[in-house]
Structure formats: structure tokens, C-alpha cells
Amino acid sequence: MRYGLFALLLLVSQAAAPATISISGDVQTPVSVSIDDLKKMPRTTVTMAEHGRETRYEGVLVSALLARAGVPLGAALSGKALSTYVLASASDGYQVVFSLGEVDPALTHNDIIVADTGDGQPLAATQGPLRIVSPHDVRGARSIRMLQRIEVVQLRK
Ligand SMILES: Nc1nc2c(c(=O)[nH]1)N[C@H]1C(S)=C(S)[C@@H](COP(=O)(O)O)O[C@H]1N2
Ligand SMILES: [Mo]
């Protein structure tokens, strides 16, 4: 019985993703970004088809969030900085990686965003409250739901 309650609490704590994500690792300044912060930033809309159904996601480019943490982008994304990757982790333990070059709109056209709404509605608990959407991937596998944190790793320093 006691164990049952413990298991339930564990399940609940794992299921709830925060409305704030942290950006840390090889950054100039670690930052945490809330949904309120996202609403005040330049917004990007993308559509992604899953199971034959299109959803219109809205949010902020991952690159704009990385810029806040002082990650090199644009002209500064050259040389050793190009060995940098972006690790995204979710509250269910799921993790995906993007290269820094893939998320920089000055280098590639991937429109990878942290979304806070789908079809104009806040994301359901199984999706959000925050989710990365990588709309030009062939499959949705890297569009990580229940996003918790973003860590930046520069391999060559
Ligand atoms: N946190 C988390 N995100 C995830 C997954 C997961 O297991 N956990 N599965 C991925 C896979 S394989 C797919 S196809 C899409 C499915 O997204 P949907 O449930 O919105 O269709 O979510 C991706 N994001
Ligand atoms: Mo998938």
C-alpha cells in the first residue's frame, strides 16, 4: 500500500514537465526560459504532419533561446564552434540531439522551434507544456515532447 502510493507519486512527478526549461552546458550564461518569456519573443509558426494529421505549432526558434545563453551563432558559428551539439531532454527520459548548425537559421533552414501551442491551444500534458518541433524531419522522432532542458556540448574547445 505504502509502496503503491510511492509509485503513484513517482509517476506523477515524472509525468509533469515544467513550464520552464533550462539552457546550460557550454554556454556563456546558463538561462531558464518560461512560457511567459517565450510569449514575449519573436514567434515562429511551423506545421508538422503526424499520423496523417497536420498540426500548426507556434513558438520560438531554438536558436533565439541559445542566443540568450550566449551560444555562438551566425558569423560566430565557425571553426571549433561547429563541433557543438544541442541535447534536449524530456521529463520521460527521452533525449534527442541536434547539431548547433542544424538549428542556426543563418546556416540551415530547419525552423526548429520550442513550441508552446498547437493549433492555437496550449499543449496537453502528454505533449508539453513545451515541445521541440523539427518540422522538416521526415518523421516526428526528434520533435521531443515534455521538454525539460537543453544542454549545449562543444566537442572541440
Ligand atoms: N518526450 C518524448 N518525446 C517524443 C517521444 C517520446 O517517446 N518521448 N517520441 C517521439 C516520436 S518517436 C514521435 S513519432 C513523436 C510523436 O509525437 P505525437 O505523439 O505528437 O504524434 O514524438 C516524439 N517525441
Ligand atoms: Mo516515432
Side-chain angles (χ1 to χ4, degrees):
M1 180 59 210
R2 282 214 165 168
Y3 177 75
L5 186 63
F6 176 76
L8 183 68
L9 285 172
L10 189 70
L11 192 73
V12 168
S13 70
Q14 279 190 338
T20 299
I21 54 162
S22 63
I23 302 174
S24 63
D26 293 328
V27 300
Q28 237 165 48
T29 325
V31 292
S32 90
V33 183
S34 68
I35 289 193
D36 286 348
D37 296 329
L38 293 180
K39 301 286 186 202
K40 292 179 201 141
M41 295 178 72
R43 310 275 297 171
T44 298
T45 301
V46 300
T47 58
M48 186 170 74
E50 294 153 299
H51 320 122
R53 194 180 153 273
E54 274 215 343
T55 305
R56 193 167 169 276
Y57 287 97
E58 197 188 282
V60 172
L61 287 171
V62 168
S63 61
L65 302 178
L66 296 178
R68 282 203 162 188
V71 174
L73 295 160
L77 180 47
S78 65
K80 290 180 178 176
L82 283 165
S83 72
T84 306
Y85 67 86
V86 176
L87 169 65
S89 303
S91 57
D92 62 350
Y94 195 72
Q95 294 185 304
V96 299
V97 158
F98 299 92
S99 70
L100 183 56
E102 268 183 298
V103 303
D104 184 358
L107 189 67
T108 55
H109 288 145
N110 289 316
D111 299 329
I112 299 168
I113 66 169
V114 172
D116 53 24
T117 67
D119 291 334
Q121 301 300 314
L123 299 177
T126 51
Q127 289 244 318
L130 298 172
R131 159 179 214 172
I132 285 182
V133 177
S134 185
H136 302 305
D137 283 2
V138 174
R139 293 189 295 119
R142 291 199 300 177
S143 292
I144 182 169
R145 301 181 267 105
M146 302 173 287
L147 179 65
Q148 214 165 29
R149 59 179 193 278
I150 291 175
E151 288 160 284
V152 176
V153 181
Q154 182 169 340
L155 295 177
R156 290 177 68 220
K157 294 192 178 160

